[in-house]
Amino acid sequence: MTLLNAINSALSGLNAESQRLSAISNNVANSSTVGYKKTETLFESMVLNGTASSGSNLAGVHGINRMDIASVGQMETTGITTDLAVNGNGFFVVNTKADNSGEYLASRAGSFRPDASGNLVNTGGYYLQGIQLDSAGQPVTNATDSNITSLGTVNIGNLQATASATTKVTFNANLPSTDISDWSTTSTQAQTAHTSSVQYYDALGNAQTLTITFQPVFSTPTTPTANTWNMVIQDTAKIPATAATGTISVWGTDGTSPTNSLITTTGVLSSSNGDISGQAKLTFNGAGSTSSSQPAGTLSAVDATTSIYPVGTAPTYDSTTGDFTITTGAGRTLKVNVGVLNSSAGMTQYAGAYSATKIEKDGASFGMLQGVSVDGDGKVIASFSNGSTRPIYQLELALFTNPDGLSAVSGGAFAMDPAAGVPRLFKPGQGPAGATEGGALEGSNVDISTELTRLIQTQRAYSSSATVIQTSNQMLDVANRLNQ
Protein backbone atom coordinates (compact mmCIF):
# COMPACT_ATOMS: atom_id res chain seq x y z
CA MET A 1 0.00 0.00 0.00
CA THR A 2 1.41 3.38 -0.99
CA LEU A 3 1.28 6.48 1.14
CA LEU A 4 -1.37 7.92 -1.15
CA ASN A 5 -3.52 4.80 -0.60
CA ALA A 6 -3.07 5.27 3.13
CA ILE A 7 -4.26 8.84 2.88
CA ASN A 8 -7.28 7.81 0.77
CA SER A 9 -8.22 5.07 3.23
CA ALA A 10 -7.95 7.49 6.14
CA LEU A 11 -10.07 10.03 4.26
CA SER A 12 -12.76 7.38 3.70
CA GLY A 13 -12.62 6.73 7.43
CA LEU A 14 -13.19 10.43 8.12
CA ASN A 15 -16.17 10.43 5.77
CA ALA A 16 -17.66 7.25 7.29
CA GLU A 17 -17.27 8.51 10.84
CA SER A 18 -18.80 11.86 9.82
CA GLN A 19 -21.76 9.94 8.43
CA ARG A 20 -22.04 7.98 11.67
CA LEU A 21 -21.84 11.21 13.69
CA SER A 22 -24.71 12.63 11.63
CA ALA A 23 -26.84 9.55 12.40
CA ILE A 24 -26.03 9.74 16.12
CA SER A 25 -26.87 13.43 16.15
CA ASN A 26 -30.25 12.77 14.51
CA ASN A 27 -31.00 9.93 16.96
CA VAL A 28 -30.24 12.08 19.98
CA ALA A 29 -32.32 14.95 18.59
CA ASN A 30 -35.32 12.61 18.10
CA SER A 31 -34.98 10.66 21.33
CA SER A 32 -38.32 12.15 22.48
CA THR A 33 -40.10 11.97 19.11
CA VAL A 34 -43.18 9.74 19.11
CA GLY A 35 -42.73 6.69 16.90
CA TYR A 36 -39.19 7.64 15.81
CA LYS A 37 -36.97 4.78 14.63
CA LYS A 38 -33.24 5.09 15.23
CA THR A 39 -30.63 5.07 12.46
CA GLU A 40 -27.56 2.88 12.70
CA THR A 41 -24.42 3.34 10.57
CA LEU A 42 -22.91 0.13 9.26
CA PHE A 43 -19.34 0.05 7.86
CA GLU A 44 -18.37 -1.79 4.72
CA SER A 45 -14.75 -2.26 3.63
CA MET A 46 -13.89 -1.32 0.05
CA VAL A 47 -11.51 -3.24 -2.20
CA LEU A 48 -10.19 -2.29 -5.66
CA ASN A 49 -10.04 -4.81 -8.53
CA GLY A 50 -11.97 -7.47 -6.59
CA THR A 51 -9.18 -8.85 -4.36
CA ALA A 52 -7.14 -7.73 -1.41
CA SER A 53 -4.75 -10.65 -1.13
CA SER A 54 -1.75 -8.43 -1.78
CA GLY A 55 -2.98 -5.69 0.51
CA SER A 56 -2.34 -3.07 -2.15
CA ASN A 57 -5.94 -3.11 -3.37
CA LEU A 58 -7.55 -2.09 -0.06
CA ALA A 59 -9.48 1.16 -0.55
CA GLY A 60 -10.80 2.11 2.87
CA VAL A 61 -14.33 2.01 4.29
CA HIS A 62 -17.82 3.00 3.25
CA GLY A 63 -20.63 3.97 5.67
CA ILE A 64 -24.22 2.78 5.16
CA ASN A 65 -27.12 4.22 7.21
CA ARG A 66 -29.97 1.86 8.03
CA MET A 67 -33.10 2.57 10.12
CA ASP A 68 -34.07 0.04 12.79
CA ILE A 69 -37.79 0.14 11.96
CA ALA A 70 -38.75 -3.27 13.33
CA SER A 71 -37.56 -2.44 16.85
CA VAL A 72 -40.37 -1.28 19.16
CA GLY A 73 -40.10 1.77 21.41
CA GLN A 74 -41.25 2.14 25.01
CA MET A 75 -45.02 2.53 25.59
CA GLU A 76 -46.01 5.78 27.29
CA THR A 77 -49.45 6.31 28.86
CA THR A 78 -51.00 9.70 28.07
CA GLY A 79 -54.65 9.32 29.09
CA ILE A 80 -55.76 11.03 25.87
CA THR A 81 -58.19 8.65 24.19
CA THR A 82 -57.19 9.54 20.62
CA ASP A 83 -53.52 8.75 21.29
CA LEU A 84 -52.86 5.30 19.85
CA ALA A 85 -50.05 2.79 20.09
CA VAL A 86 -49.48 -0.68 18.68
CA ASN A 87 -48.35 -3.23 21.24
CA GLY A 88 -46.55 -5.59 18.89
CA ASN A 89 -46.27 -5.87 15.13
CA GLY A 90 -47.97 -3.64 12.62
CA PHE A 91 -48.31 -0.06 11.42
CA PHE A 92 -51.21 2.36 11.31
CA VAL A 93 -52.25 3.16 7.76
CA VAL A 94 -52.32 6.92 7.13
CA ASN A 95 -52.85 9.15 4.11
CA THR A 96 -51.35 12.48 3.17
CA LYS A 97 -54.80 13.84 2.23
CA ALA A 98 -58.04 13.84 4.20
CA ASP A 99 -60.03 12.84 1.12
CA ASN A 100 -57.75 9.82 0.49
CA SER A 101 -56.44 11.30 -2.76
CA GLY A 102 -52.89 11.38 -1.44
CA GLU A 103 -50.32 8.67 -0.75
CA TYR A 104 -50.96 5.83 1.68
CA LEU A 105 -48.16 5.52 4.23
CA ALA A 106 -47.34 3.37 7.27
CA SER A 107 -46.72 4.96 10.67
CA ARG A 108 -46.27 4.13 14.35
CA ALA A 109 -46.70 7.80 15.36
CA GLY A 110 -50.15 7.64 16.96
CA SER A 111 -50.63 11.13 18.40
CA PHE A 112 -53.95 11.72 16.60
CA ARG A 113 -56.26 14.68 17.16
CA PRO A 114 -59.44 15.77 15.33
CA ASP A 115 -58.98 18.70 12.95
CA ALA A 116 -61.63 21.36 12.24
CA SER A 117 -63.57 18.86 10.13
CA GLY A 118 -63.34 16.03 12.68
CA ASN A 119 -60.67 14.05 10.80
CA LEU A 120 -58.11 12.32 13.04
CA VAL A 121 -54.67 13.61 12.04
CA ASN A 122 -51.29 13.12 13.76
CA THR A 123 -48.52 15.63 14.39
CA GLY A 124 -46.94 14.76 11.05
CA GLY A 125 -50.09 15.88 9.24
CA TYR A 126 -51.14 12.35 8.23
CA TYR A 127 -54.75 11.18 8.41
CA LEU A 128 -55.65 7.92 10.19
CA GLN A 129 -57.33 5.32 7.97
CA GLY A 130 -59.93 2.73 8.90
CA ILE A 131 -63.08 0.92 7.76
CA GLN A 132 -66.27 2.86 8.43
CA LEU A 133 -68.98 0.94 10.33
CA ASP A 134 -72.72 1.43 10.04
CA SER A 135 -75.14 1.87 12.95
CA ALA A 136 -75.25 -1.91 13.40
CA GLY A 137 -71.44 -2.11 13.65
CA GLN A 138 -71.02 -3.70 10.22
CA PRO A 139 -68.41 -2.54 7.66
CA VAL A 140 -69.68 -0.11 5.03
CA THR A 141 -66.93 -1.36 2.69
CA ASN A 142 -64.95 -4.59 2.74
CA ALA A 143 -61.15 -4.56 3.01
CA THR A 144 -59.24 -7.62 1.88
CA ASP A 145 -55.71 -8.60 2.93
CA SER A 146 -53.90 -6.00 0.82
CA ASN A 147 -56.74 -3.68 -0.18
CA ILE A 148 -55.27 -0.49 1.29
CA THR A 149 -57.39 1.72 -0.95
CA SER A 150 -60.62 0.44 0.64
CA LEU A 151 -59.75 2.32 3.83
CA GLY A 152 -61.02 5.82 4.53
CA THR A 153 -60.12 8.69 6.85
CA VAL A 154 -61.47 8.27 10.38
CA ASN A 155 -63.85 11.18 10.97
CA ILE A 156 -65.65 11.89 14.25
CA GLY A 157 -67.27 15.18 13.22
CA ASN A 158 -71.06 15.60 13.29
CA LEU A 159 -71.62 12.27 15.03
CA GLN A 160 -74.81 11.97 17.01
CA ALA A 161 -76.89 9.22 18.49
CA THR A 162 -80.44 9.13 17.19
CA ALA A 163 -83.21 8.43 19.63
CA SER A 164 -84.35 4.82 19.83
CA ALA A 165 -87.62 3.72 21.35
CA THR A 166 -87.64 1.30 24.26
CA THR A 167 -88.89 -2.10 23.19
CA LYS A 168 -88.32 -4.06 26.38
CA VAL A 169 -88.21 -3.34 30.10
CA THR A 170 -87.13 -5.91 32.68
CA PHE A 171 -88.69 -5.43 36.11
CA ASN A 172 -88.31 -7.92 38.95
CA ALA A 173 -89.25 -7.37 42.57
CA ASN A 174 -89.84 -9.21 45.80
CA LEU A 175 -93.38 -8.82 47.17
CA PRO A 176 -93.48 -9.32 50.96
CA SER A 177 -95.36 -12.46 51.93
CA THR A 178 -96.19 -10.86 55.30
CA ASP A 179 -98.43 -8.29 53.61
CA ILE A 180 -101.05 -11.01 53.21
CA SER A 181 -100.49 -13.17 56.28
CA ASP A 182 -100.42 -10.19 58.66
CA TRP A 183 -103.38 -8.36 57.14
CA SER A 184 -105.34 -6.38 59.74
CA THR A 185 -108.97 -7.23 60.37
CA THR A 186 -109.80 -3.55 60.81
CA SER A 187 -112.24 -2.93 57.99
CA THR A 188 -111.47 0.77 57.71
CA GLN A 189 -107.77 0.26 57.03
CA ALA A 190 -106.65 0.80 53.39
CA GLN A 191 -104.84 -2.01 51.64
CA THR A 192 -101.05 -2.13 51.45
CA ALA A 193 -99.61 -0.93 48.10
CA HIS A 194 -96.08 -1.05 46.72
CA THR A 195 -95.10 1.18 43.82
CA SER A 196 -92.05 1.49 41.60
CA SER A 197 -91.33 3.77 38.65
CA VAL A 198 -89.45 2.76 35.52
CA GLN A 199 -88.36 5.25 32.86
CA TYR A 200 -88.54 4.37 29.18
CA TYR A 201 -88.18 6.24 25.86
CA ASP A 202 -90.84 6.79 23.22
CA ALA A 203 -90.18 6.88 19.47
CA LEU A 204 -89.00 10.52 19.64
CA GLY A 205 -86.62 9.89 22.53
CA ASN A 206 -88.86 11.53 25.12
CA ALA A 207 -88.59 10.06 28.58
CA GLN A 208 -91.84 8.52 29.83
CA THR A 209 -92.55 6.72 33.08
CA LEU A 210 -94.22 3.44 33.87
CA THR A 211 -95.66 3.28 37.38
CA ILE A 212 -96.07 -0.32 38.54
CA THR A 213 -98.30 -0.86 41.55
CA PHE A 214 -98.70 -4.14 43.46
CA GLN A 215 -101.48 -4.84 45.95
CA PRO A 216 -102.64 -8.07 47.64
CA VAL A 217 -105.88 -9.45 46.23
CA PHE A 218 -108.78 -9.75 48.75
CA SER A 219 -112.10 -11.44 48.18
CA THR A 220 -113.56 -9.24 50.95
CA PRO A 221 -112.03 -6.25 52.74
CA THR A 222 -110.60 -8.61 55.36
CA THR A 223 -110.17 -11.88 53.46
CA PRO A 224 -106.92 -12.18 51.45
CA THR A 225 -106.60 -14.49 48.49
CA ALA A 226 -103.58 -16.67 49.24
CA ASN A 227 -100.36 -15.75 47.46
CA THR A 228 -102.15 -13.54 44.94
CA TRP A 229 -101.30 -9.97 43.95
CA ASN A 230 -102.79 -7.43 41.61
CA MET A 231 -100.32 -5.68 39.27
CA VAL A 232 -101.34 -2.47 37.50
CA ILE A 233 -99.04 -0.67 35.04
CA GLN A 234 -99.76 2.99 34.33
CA ASP A 235 -98.06 5.12 31.66
CA THR A 236 -97.39 8.87 31.83
CA ALA A 237 -97.41 9.04 28.02
CA LYS A 238 -101.15 9.58 28.45
CA ILE A 239 -102.71 11.24 31.49
CA PRO A 240 -106.48 10.60 31.52
CA ALA A 241 -108.75 13.61 31.88
CA THR A 242 -110.96 11.53 34.15
CA ALA A 243 -110.34 8.30 35.98
CA ALA A 244 -110.87 5.16 33.96
CA THR A 245 -113.91 3.10 34.89
CA GLY A 246 -114.24 -0.62 35.23
CA THR A 247 -113.68 -3.33 37.77
CA ILE A 248 -110.26 -3.20 39.41
CA SER A 249 -109.67 -5.57 42.32
CA VAL A 250 -108.71 -2.81 44.77
CA TRP A 251 -110.72 -2.09 47.91
CA GLY A 252 -111.51 1.44 48.91
CA THR A 253 -110.62 3.07 52.20
CA ASP A 254 -114.14 2.57 53.49
CA GLY A 255 -113.53 -1.20 53.45
CA THR A 256 -117.04 -1.91 52.20
CA SER A 257 -116.95 -2.64 48.48
CA PRO A 258 -114.64 -2.76 45.48
CA THR A 259 -114.21 0.53 43.65
CA ASN A 260 -115.07 0.99 40.00
CA SER A 261 -112.60 3.82 39.37
CA LEU A 262 -108.99 4.73 40.04
CA ILE A 263 -108.46 5.64 43.69
CA THR A 264 -106.58 8.85 44.47
CA THR A 265 -105.81 7.90 48.05
CA THR A 266 -102.06 7.84 48.80
CA GLY A 267 -100.66 4.35 48.53
CA VAL A 268 -103.02 3.06 45.87
CA LEU A 269 -103.70 3.89 42.23
CA SER A 270 -103.81 7.51 41.10
CA SER A 271 -104.77 8.96 37.71
CA SER A 272 -101.78 11.33 37.97
CA ASN A 273 -99.56 8.31 37.24
CA GLY A 274 -101.07 8.04 33.77
CA ASP A 275 -103.43 5.80 31.91
CA ILE A 276 -103.65 2.09 32.63
CA SER A 277 -101.59 0.17 30.05
CA GLY A 278 -101.74 -3.26 31.64
CA GLN A 279 -103.21 -5.18 34.54
CA ALA A 280 -102.61 -8.75 35.69
CA LYS A 281 -103.12 -11.08 38.64
CA LEU A 282 -99.84 -12.62 39.87
CA THR A 283 -100.03 -15.93 41.71
CA PHE A 284 -97.06 -17.36 43.63
CA ASN A 285 -96.19 -20.85 44.85
CA GLY A 286 -97.06 -21.06 48.55
CA ALA A 287 -94.98 -22.12 51.52
CA GLY A 288 -96.37 -25.67 51.27
CA SER A 289 -94.85 -26.24 47.84
CA THR A 290 -92.28 -29.04 47.93
CA SER A 291 -91.76 -29.57 44.20
CA SER A 292 -88.22 -28.83 43.01
CA SER A 293 -89.69 -27.53 39.75
CA GLN A 294 -92.06 -25.17 41.60
CA PRO A 295 -90.05 -23.60 44.44
CA ALA A 296 -91.97 -21.79 47.14
CA GLY A 297 -92.14 -18.04 46.68
CA THR A 298 -91.75 -18.15 42.91
CA LEU A 299 -94.23 -16.99 40.30
CA SER A 300 -96.73 -19.75 39.38
CA ALA A 301 -99.20 -17.89 37.13
CA VAL A 302 -99.79 -14.54 35.43
CA ASP A 303 -103.38 -13.88 34.41
CA ALA A 304 -103.77 -10.79 32.26
CA THR A 305 -106.86 -8.70 32.99
CA THR A 306 -108.70 -7.26 29.98
CA SER A 307 -111.46 -5.21 31.58
CA ILE A 308 -109.96 -1.71 31.49
CA TYR A 309 -107.82 -0.57 28.53
CA PRO A 310 -108.40 3.00 27.37
CA VAL A 311 -105.94 2.57 24.45
CA GLY A 312 -104.44 -0.27 22.45
CA THR A 313 -105.07 -3.94 22.91
CA ALA A 314 -105.29 -6.17 25.94
CA PRO A 315 -101.98 -7.34 27.44
CA THR A 316 -100.60 -10.84 27.07
CA TYR A 317 -98.12 -12.92 29.01
CA ASP A 318 -95.61 -15.32 27.45
CA SER A 319 -94.61 -17.94 30.03
CA THR A 320 -91.68 -19.04 27.86
CA THR A 321 -89.96 -15.66 27.77
CA GLY A 322 -91.51 -14.08 30.85
CA ASP A 323 -92.65 -11.06 28.81
CA PHE A 324 -95.81 -9.23 29.82
CA THR A 325 -96.71 -7.29 26.67
CA ILE A 326 -98.62 -4.00 27.06
CA THR A 327 -99.62 -1.08 24.86
CA THR A 328 -98.12 2.25 25.89
CA GLY A 329 -100.01 5.51 26.08
CA ALA A 330 -98.62 6.36 22.63
CA GLY A 331 -100.03 3.15 21.19
CA ARG A 332 -96.70 1.28 20.87
CA THR A 333 -96.11 -2.30 21.98
CA LEU A 334 -93.80 -2.64 24.97
CA LYS A 335 -92.62 -5.82 26.66
CA VAL A 336 -92.27 -5.78 30.45
CA ASN A 337 -90.35 -8.87 31.51
CA VAL A 338 -91.50 -10.07 34.94
CA GLY A 339 -89.72 -13.43 34.70
CA VAL A 340 -90.67 -16.95 33.70
CA LEU A 341 -92.78 -19.16 35.90
CA ASN A 342 -91.26 -21.12 38.81
CA SER A 343 -87.98 -19.21 38.69
CA SER A 344 -86.39 -17.23 41.49
CA ALA A 345 -84.79 -14.99 38.84
CA GLY A 346 -88.09 -13.14 38.22
CA MET A 347 -90.85 -11.85 40.50
CA THR A 348 -90.83 -13.48 43.95
CA GLN A 349 -92.86 -13.51 47.16
CA TYR A 350 -90.62 -13.99 50.18
CA ALA A 351 -90.57 -12.56 53.67
CA GLY A 352 -88.91 -9.20 54.14
CA ALA A 353 -89.35 -5.73 52.75
CA TYR A 354 -90.57 -4.86 49.26
CA SER A 355 -87.59 -4.46 46.94
CA ALA A 356 -87.15 -3.90 43.22
CA THR A 357 -84.39 -6.44 42.50
CA LYS A 358 -83.78 -5.78 38.80
CA ILE A 359 -84.65 -2.88 36.50
CA GLU A 360 -83.26 -2.79 32.95
CA LYS A 361 -84.36 -1.27 29.66
CA ASP A 362 -83.17 -0.69 26.12
CA GLY A 363 -83.68 2.45 24.01
CA ALA A 364 -82.13 5.88 24.39
CA SER A 365 -82.87 9.57 24.05
CA PHE A 366 -81.17 11.79 21.48
CA GLY A 367 -77.47 12.21 22.29
CA MET A 368 -74.48 14.28 21.17
CA LEU A 369 -70.94 12.98 20.87
CA GLN A 370 -68.96 13.17 24.10
CA GLY A 371 -65.77 11.38 23.12
CA VAL A 372 -64.15 8.47 21.34
CA SER A 373 -61.89 5.65 22.46
CA VAL A 374 -60.12 2.73 20.80
CA ASP A 375 -60.21 -0.79 22.19
CA GLY A 376 -57.64 -3.57 21.82
CA ASP A 377 -59.07 -4.96 18.58
CA GLY A 378 -58.93 -1.60 16.82
CA LYS A 379 -62.57 -0.56 17.06
CA VAL A 380 -63.11 3.18 17.40
CA ILE A 381 -65.94 3.56 19.93
CA ALA A 382 -68.06 6.72 20.10
CA SER A 383 -69.68 7.70 23.42
CA PHE A 384 -72.77 9.91 23.49
CA SER A 385 -74.42 12.15 26.07
CA ASN A 386 -77.40 9.80 26.37
CA GLY A 387 -75.12 7.08 27.73
CA SER A 388 -75.07 5.00 24.54
CA THR A 389 -71.93 3.83 22.76
CA ARG A 390 -71.32 2.30 19.34
CA PRO A 391 -68.35 1.39 17.14
CA ILE A 392 -67.88 3.79 14.23
CA TYR A 393 -64.64 2.58 12.61
CA GLN A 394 -62.51 -0.55 12.50
CA LEU A 395 -58.77 0.13 12.32
CA GLU A 396 -56.57 -2.19 10.27
CA LEU A 397 -52.83 -2.65 10.79
CA ALA A 398 -50.43 -3.04 7.88
CA LEU A 399 -47.75 -5.74 8.21
CA PHE A 400 -44.71 -6.19 5.95
CA THR A 401 -42.38 -9.11 5.32
CA ASN A 402 -39.38 -6.78 5.68
CA PRO A 403 -40.38 -3.67 7.67
CA ASP A 404 -36.79 -2.42 7.61
CA GLY A 405 -37.23 -2.07 3.85
CA LEU A 406 -39.67 0.83 4.31
CA SER A 407 -38.44 4.29 3.32
CA ALA A 408 -38.68 7.02 5.94
CA VAL A 409 -40.46 10.28 5.12
CA SER A 410 -40.94 13.36 7.28
CA GLY A 411 -43.41 13.21 10.15
CA GLY A 412 -42.65 9.72 11.44
CA ALA A 413 -44.15 7.88 8.47
CA PHE A 414 -42.79 5.37 5.97
CA ALA A 415 -43.37 4.92 2.26
CA MET A 416 -44.45 1.39 1.32
CA ASP A 417 -41.47 0.52 -0.88
CA PRO A 418 -41.35 -2.80 -2.77
CA ALA A 419 -38.29 -3.75 -0.69
CA ALA A 420 -40.58 -4.05 2.35
CA GLY A 421 -42.89 -6.52 0.61
CA VAL A 422 -46.59 -6.31 -0.18
CA PRO A 423 -48.56 -4.81 2.76
CA ARG A 424 -51.14 -7.08 4.34
CA LEU A 425 -54.00 -5.82 6.52
CA PHE A 426 -54.90 -7.44 9.84
CA LYS A 427 -57.31 -6.48 12.58
CA PRO A 428 -55.35 -5.57 15.73
CA GLY A 429 -54.81 -8.58 17.97
CA GLN A 430 -55.47 -11.09 15.21
CA GLY A 431 -52.82 -13.28 13.61
CA PRO A 432 -49.36 -11.67 13.74
CA ALA A 433 -50.74 -8.18 14.42
CA GLY A 434 -50.29 -6.53 17.79
CA ALA A 435 -53.15 -5.05 19.81
CA THR A 436 -53.98 -1.36 19.79
CA GLU A 437 -53.73 0.66 22.99
CA GLY A 438 -55.82 3.78 23.38
CA GLY A 439 -54.52 6.58 25.58
CA ALA A 440 -50.90 5.57 24.94
CA LEU A 441 -48.06 6.39 22.56
CA GLU A 442 -45.01 4.51 21.39
CA GLY A 443 -41.88 6.47 22.20
CA SER A 444 -38.64 6.59 20.25
CA ASN A 445 -36.58 3.38 20.19
CA VAL A 446 -33.41 5.44 20.78
CA ASP A 447 -31.34 4.55 23.86
CA ILE A 448 -29.44 7.68 24.89
CA SER A 449 -26.71 5.83 26.80
CA THR A 450 -25.96 3.68 23.74
CA GLU A 451 -25.82 6.75 21.49
CA LEU A 452 -23.39 8.54 23.84
CA THR A 453 -21.16 5.47 23.84
CA ARG A 454 -21.18 5.45 20.05
CA LEU A 455 -20.41 9.16 20.07
CA ILE A 456 -17.21 8.55 22.03
CA GLN A 457 -16.26 5.69 19.71
CA THR A 458 -16.88 7.88 16.67
CA GLN A 459 -14.79 10.71 18.07
CA ARG A 460 -11.84 8.39 18.73
CA ALA A 461 -12.09 6.73 15.30
CA TYR A 462 -12.27 10.12 13.60
CA SER A 463 -9.22 11.38 15.52
CA SER A 464 -7.33 8.20 14.65
CA SER A 465 -8.07 8.59 10.94
CA ALA A 466 -6.93 12.20 11.14
CA THR A 467 -3.69 11.04 12.81
CA VAL A 468 -3.08 8.59 9.95
CA ILE A 469 -3.43 11.41 7.42
CA GLN A 470 -1.09 13.61 9.44
CA THR A 471 1.52 10.85 9.69
CA SER A 472 1.25 10.05 5.97
CA ASN A 473 1.82 13.72 5.13
CA GLN A 474 4.91 13.77 7.31
CA MET A 475 6.27 10.68 5.56
CA LEU A 476 5.62 12.25 2.15
CA ASP A 477 7.52 15.32 3.25
CA VAL A 478 10.48 13.13 4.20
CA ALA A 479 10.37 11.44 0.78
CA ASN A 480 10.22 14.76 -1.00
CA ARG A 481 13.30 16.08 0.86
CA LEU A 482 15.43 13.12 -0.32
CA ASN A 483 16.00 14.87 -3.67
CA GLN A 484 17.17 18.10 -2.14
Side-chain angles (χ1 to χ4, degrees), residues 92-96 103-107 112 122 126-129:
F92 297 114
V93 179
V94 296
N95 197 286
T96 57
E103 182 182 4
Y104 287 94
L105 304 171
S107 179
F112 294 99
N122 66 10
Y126 301 119
Y127 296 89
L128 180 63
Q129 303 295 292

Side-chain angles (χ1 to χ4, degrees), residues 57 83 94 97 114 125 194 209 237 267 291 344 411:
N57 293 328
D83 282 342
V94 296
K97 302 288 185 181
H194 301 290
T209 301
S291 172
S344 59

Side-chain angles (χ1 to χ4, degrees), residues 174 284-287 289 295-299 347-350:
N174 180 63
F284 294 87
N285 293 306
S289 175
T298 60
L299 196 62
M347 296 292 300
T348 58
Q349 180 192 256
Y350 295 120

Side-chain angles (χ1 to χ4, degrees), residues 66-206:
R66 185 184 69 182
M67 294 194 74
D68 187 9
I69 300 174
S71 176
V72 177
Q74 189 74 23
M75 295 294 171
E76 303 171 1
T77 301
T78 66
I80 300 173
T81 56
T82 54
D83 282 342
L84 306 177
V86 179
N87 190 1
N89 298 323
F91 296 81
F92 297 114
V93 179
V94 296
N95 197 286
T96 57
K97 302 288 185 181
D99 60 1
N100 308 115
S101 62
E103 182 182 4
Y104 287 94
L105 304 171
S107 179
R108 302 271 296 194
S111 52
F112 294 99
R113 299 289 187 277
D115 63 9
S117 301
N119 301 308
L120 290 187
V121 58
N122 66 10
T123 53
Y126 301 119
Y127 296 89
L128 180 63
Q129 303 295 292
I131 301 173
Q132 187 176 4
L133 305 179
D134 59 22
S135 58
Q138 298 301 312
V140 175
T141 58
N142 293 322
T144 58
D145 283 357
S146 57
N147 192 10
I148 295 288
T149 57
S150 66
L151 304 179
T153 297
V154 176
N155 184 287
I156 63 173
N158 301 320
L159 281 175
Q160 59 190 26
T162 57
S164 58
T166 299
T167 60
K168 185 172 184 177
V169 171
T170 298
F171 181 85
N172 298 156
N174 180 63
L175 305 179
S177 60
T178 53
D179 282 3
I180 293 178
S181 60
D182 292 344
W183 173 249
S184 173
T185 57
T186 304
S187 61
T188 57
Q189 183 174 347
Q191 289 185 6
T192 302
H194 301 290
T195 301
S196 291
S197 296
V198 181
Q199 190 182 69
Y200 76 96
Y201 300 100
D202 62 19
L204 298 178
N206 298 310

Side-chain angles (χ1 to χ4, degrees), residues 218-275:
F218 282 75
S219 57
T220 70
T222 59
T223 306
T225 302
N227 306 310
T228 307
W229 293 74
N230 191 57
M231 177 180 71
V232 178
I233 301 178
Q234 295 172 266
D235 183 13
T236 56
K238 183 179 179 181
I239 303 295
T242 59
T245 60
T247 302
I248 303 177
S249 56
V250 177
W251 290 89
T253 56
D254 60 356
T256 57
S257 63
T259 181
N260 289 326
S261 63
L262 293 178
I263 300 174
T264 58
T265 304
T266 302
V268 288
L269 303 181
S270 171
S271 60
S272 64
N273 291 330
D275 215 343

